[in-house]
Amino acid sequence: MSNSAGMEGTRKVSSSHLTRPLARGAGAGPSRAPGGASGVRAGSTRSGRQPGDGKTGSRPAAGSPGGLDTPAQYVKGVGPRRAADLARLGVTTVGDLLRHLPRRHEDRSRLKPIAMVLPDTVETVKGRVLAVTESRPRRGLTITKVSIGDGTATLQGVWFNQPFIKKNLRAGETVVFSGRVERHFGHLQMNGPEYEVLDGADPLNAGRIVPVYRATEGLSQRYLRAVIKGAADAYAGLMPEALPAELRQRLGLLPAPAAWRAIHFPADEAELDAARRRLAFEELFLLQLGLGLVKQHVRRREPGFRHGPDGDLVRRFLAALPFRLTAAQERVVREIKADMESPHPMNRLVQGDVGSGKTVVAALALLKAVESGAQGAMMAPTEILAEQHYLRLRRLLEPLGVGVALLTGGQGREERQAALFGLSAGHLQVAIGTHALIQEGVAFKRLSLVITDEQHRFGVRQRALLQEKGTAGGIHPDVLVMTATPIPRTLALTLFGDLDVSVIDELPPGRRPLTTRWLSEKDRGKAYGFVREQVRAGRQAYVICPLVEESDAIDARAAIEWAARLEKALPEFRVGVLHGRLKAAEKEAVMDAFQRGEVQILVATTVVEVGVDVPNATVIVIEGADRFGLAQLHQLRGRVGRGEHPSYCLLIADPSSEDGRSRMAVMTRTADGFAIAEEDLQLRGPGEFFGTRQHGLPDLLVANPVRDLPILEEARQEAFALLEADPSLARPEHAVLRQAVRDRFRGRLALIGVG
Ligand code: ADP
Ligand code: MG
């Protein structure tokens, strides 16, 4: 294989696919493959057989590669075995390969003369291989040393137990090493440097800005680079151009194929930035378009329900409250009132930290619906939360003569029949439930308000489905979305771009500070000593059991065992246990007993995460705290600090990971939900933080709504302007765009006739 062929293969991007099979043929024999294939050699594939050899014949013709759906297996260097490894990364097609983005890049392009390198610094140098030696100082240890020189000095690369290195790096070749420099008995040395043979082909691993991928067992970085480079060269040109040309030019955005190539193998820093900007913009633009379509659809539909002004019901409710609304609650209630009294459908998100008093706000909105002769529904993400909302709202609303129904999957037939009948006949005015609310057979007489308590678990689709329940009577109900996990306002726009946003940014007065401590398991005795003190002083306590698995049954067993241990250890107290496996009536009985103070220590699984409200409870012990995420810990902690006494959260954990330690540190440092949300976002990244999949929103691969906030704002503006001009993306020049939005939301827009 001549170098010139290798050069051709990389220079002329579109024809590289053509030259590769030749390179592969050469690589399989004793002679060596050029450039792009060098990474493949580093893996176990050096045995002489290249994976995928058997597939050569069935690959798409080089000149006309198949589409982006072509199985990854047919990319050069990938065979059935490697395809299985790739599948573990979620990569099955060439399109997936291209979308397998680097986690980061390393700049290995700044070459230094060897004489200038600094010890203890990561440097990149270029030189000729002067000598390759191998030694076996003892059994099971092979040391390969490759010394290189560039005329200014020499440097040695050292590898342990990687005998194949000597096949990849041979005397006389020009190579690039990148790694941490050490001084070893007067020699300059790099331990296992990244390396690249400069044979005329595009370098992949050093001597350039190098992508670093999320890898998996069996797939080295070198291998991934080689394969993804092959895929990018052959297929990036097929990545669809969703952005209208006019927009791209006006904003100076790279064309899609160039961006997809450069996001992996940028020529320089500037090109990497441009690629990132382009792809982040596209993601956020499509997201905002989808949300814009939803929003517009809601606005455009039949007029909404025009609720009447506040009347006697609302006044009596407010008069009976044992407290005054906070200024923040007042403001949010005013915003909701204005929306509800307007003839347009309301679509509003209410955000408020744990304990900020969202329930009262929800109750007021429900009353307003009832007062106008209509009905309201509130949907919660879990059965226990629905039950808790039900109990609390019933306590608030029934004294005013408002009939409240509960609808969950787990309830008995008779109870359900009664609820269904009451709702369709209209003598029950408020329905609280899980997604059982949106099932067929649930009909309302006159539904005018839909509240979803999202806790980040519902999506656009469920919300829309519940809304549909109200359209039968020709009215479009008002929608209120509540979320307890505070999200910075701008991020809320990304997530809930179809909604207006209200924030309850104030806690009710008189809240005592909450102290959080992190204890090691060996100090557990101290924690329970403190619990004993508190309960003796008349307070109550929660104990949250370690999260064993995502299994109700196993977690329930853990809670029961934990409660038994506590009963033995603290025999003077009454211990209750609450878990997801209890029947609704049993849960209600336990919660009521805790509420009344009959149960002093409540051992629970995360079912108490949200909604339980017992102001006399002042301490919460969270066992195995490192098993929980930050948002969840914050919600759990929110069970205490609701009354007049100082409260305490005791985290028991011996985290084995850096990440776990960070979470414990964040929890002890701040009790502010917004600060925690920001930290959470930092630790987990936006994808996981938002759990976008559960939201019904597309994943963000490139964009980080925090870092890319300016891009988000630009994308939002452009998306809404575009919809203004072409409300359903019907113009021919928007055909690809329309399709891209549809693909992104994968059918989730079908509901509103776009998907
Ligand atoms: P959230 O649902 O936002 O976590 P809740 O609605 O459960 O918060 O309210 C937390 C606690 O604060 C409840 O005990 C509630 O009765 C009380 N509360 C709500 N609003 C006020 C207020 N304005 N003043 C005093 N206490 C309030
Ligand atoms: Mg309205």
Side-chain angles (χ1 to χ4, degrees), residues 304-307 338-346 448 476-478:
F305 189 96
R306 188 199 284 266
H307 290 86
D339 280 0
M340 287 180 75
E341 290 176 10
S342 100
H344 301 292
M346 169 170 77
S448 73
H476 192 72
D478 285 340

Side-chain angles (χ1 to χ4, degrees), residues 321-327 329 352-361 389 392 396 453 455 482-484 504 507-511 611-615 635 638-639 641-643:
L321 272 186
F323 48 74
R324 291 179 48 138
L325 296 186
T326 63
Q329 282 170 320
D353 202 352
V354 193
S356 62
K358 292 184 293 294
T359 311
V360 177
V361 172
H389 279 317
R392 295 174 67 189
L396 290 170
D453 186 356
Q455 302 293 336
M482 315 254 273
T483 167
I504 310 182
L507 293 181
R511 290 287 163 81
V612 176
D613 183 30
V614 177
Q635 290 295 327
R639 294 317 101 207
R642 298 181 152 243

Side-chain angles (χ1 to χ4, degrees), residues 297-468:
H297 172 79
V298 170
R299 293 271 143 92
R300 218 177 33 208
R301 284 177 79 115
E302 317 88 85
F305 189 96
R306 188 199 284 266
H307 290 86
D310 286 352
D312 198 40
L313 259 187
V314 168
R315 268 194 294 277
R316 272 164 54 210
F317 175 79
L318 286 173
L321 272 186
F323 48 74
R324 291 179 48 138
L325 296 186
T326 63
Q329 282 170 320
E330 294 256 17
R331 188 185 64 240
V332 171
V333 167
R334 238 186 352 259
E335 285 163 352
I336 293 170
K337 190 167 119 73
D339 280 0
M340 287 180 75
E341 290 176 10
S342 100
H344 301 292
M346 169 170 77
N347 225 1
R348 182 169 291 278
L349 171 73
V350 172
Q351 265 189 63
D353 202 352
V354 193
S356 62
K358 292 184 293 294
T359 311
V360 177
V361 172
L364 272 164
L366 291 168
L367 274 178
K368 193 166 179 65
V370 175
E371 186 133 67
S372 301
Q375 291 166 302
M378 180 160 175
M379 183 162 66
T382 65
E383 202 148 300
I384 191 135
L385 183 54
E387 284 157 10
Q388 284 160 12
H389 279 317
Y390 170 69
L391 293 176
R392 295 174 67 189
L393 286 166
R394 208 179 55 181
R395 232 174 268 141
L396 290 170
L397 302 181
E398 271 186 358
L400 301 166
V402 175
V404 184
L406 175 69
L407 273 180
T408 64
Q411 74 191 147
R413 230 182 99 81
E414 257 172 57
E415 199 185 340
R416 179 177 167 82
Q417 289 305 328
L420 287 179
F421 176 72
L423 292 171
S424 61
H427 60 266
L428 291 176
Q429 297 108 317
V430 171
I432 315 291
T434 53
H435 51 271
L437 271 178
I438 53 178
Q439 272 151 19
E440 269 176 55
V442 181
F444 291 83
K445 180 152 187 260
R446 202 177 185 210
L447 182 66
S448 73
L449 173 70
V450 168
I451 303 179
T452 61
D453 186 356
E454 301 217 337
Q455 302 293 336
H456 280 214
R457 271 174 250 197
F458 281 138
V460 176
R461 183 180 166 77
Q462 278 92 337
R463 225 186 289 150
L465 272 173
L466 184 52
Q467 254 169 309
E468 298 289 303

Side-chain angles (χ1 to χ4, degrees), residues 366-610:
L366 291 168
L367 274 178
K368 193 166 179 65
V370 175
E371 186 133 67
S372 301
Q375 291 166 302
M378 180 160 175
M379 183 162 66
T382 65
E383 202 148 300
I384 191 135
L385 183 54
E387 284 157 10
Q388 284 160 12
H389 279 317
Y390 170 69
L391 293 176
R392 295 174 67 189
L393 286 166
R394 208 179 55 181
R395 232 174 268 141
L396 290 170
L397 302 181
E398 271 186 358
L400 301 166
V402 175
V404 184
L406 175 69
L407 273 180
T408 64
Q411 74 191 147
R413 230 182 99 81
E414 257 172 57
E415 199 185 340
R416 179 177 167 82
Q417 289 305 328
L420 287 179
F421 176 72
L423 292 171
S424 61
H427 60 266
L428 291 176
Q429 297 108 317
V430 171
I432 315 291
T434 53
H435 51 271
L437 271 178
I438 53 178
Q439 272 151 19
E440 269 176 55
V442 181
F444 291 83
K445 180 152 187 260
R446 202 177 185 210
L447 182 66
S448 73
L449 173 70
V450 168
I451 303 179
T452 61
D453 186 356
E454 301 217 337
Q455 302 293 336
H456 280 214
R457 271 174 250 197
F458 281 138
V460 176
R461 183 180 166 77
Q462 278 92 337
R463 225 186 289 150
L465 272 173
L466 184 52
Q467 254 169 309
E468 298 289 303
K469 295 282 177 195
T471 52
I475 51 165
H476 192 72
D478 285 340
V479 172
L480 200 58
V481 181
M482 315 254 273
T483 167
T485 305
I487 340 164
R489 186 185 168 83
T490 39
L491 293 186
L493 288 183
T494 325
L495 253 193
F496 302 102
D498 56 330
L499 305 179
D500 300 309
V501 181
S502 292
V503 186
I504 310 182
D505 49 7
E506 180 186 2
L507 293 181
R511 290 287 163 81
R512 298 300 300 269
L514 195 153
T515 308
T516 299
R517 292 254 185 283
W518 166 25
L519 301 163
S520 156
E521 301 209 7
K522 67 181 185 344
D523 293 325
R524 179 176 284 128
K526 285 189 203 160
Y528 287 97
F530 185 75
V531 168
R532 174 183 281 141
E533 265 174 45
Q534 287 282 305
V535 180
R536 280 206 181 125
R539 308 282 84 78
Q540 288 165 279
Y542 296 96
V543 174
I544 308 301
C545 302
L547 193 64
V548 184
E549 264 174 47
E550 292 284 311
S551 152
D552 271 0
I554 295 172
D555 283 342
R557 201 165 347 115
I560 293 165
E561 279 166 18
W562 212 269
R565 278 171 64 182
L566 271 180
E567 263 167 347
K568 252 195 219 128
L570 304 167
E572 69 268 43
F573 301 134
R574 289 176 304 275
V575 177
V577 59
L578 185 64
H579 55 76
R581 273 301 174 96
L582 294 176
K583 294 207 176 68
E586 294 169 323
K587 283 182 222 161
E588 194 172 331
V590 176
M591 287 192 294
D592 278 353
F594 191 60
Q595 195 103 45
R596 285 193 300 268
E598 285 156 20
V599 162
Q600 293 156 303
I601 301 178
L602 184 62
V603 177
T605 59
T606 52
V607 295
V608 300
E609 184 187 336
V610 279

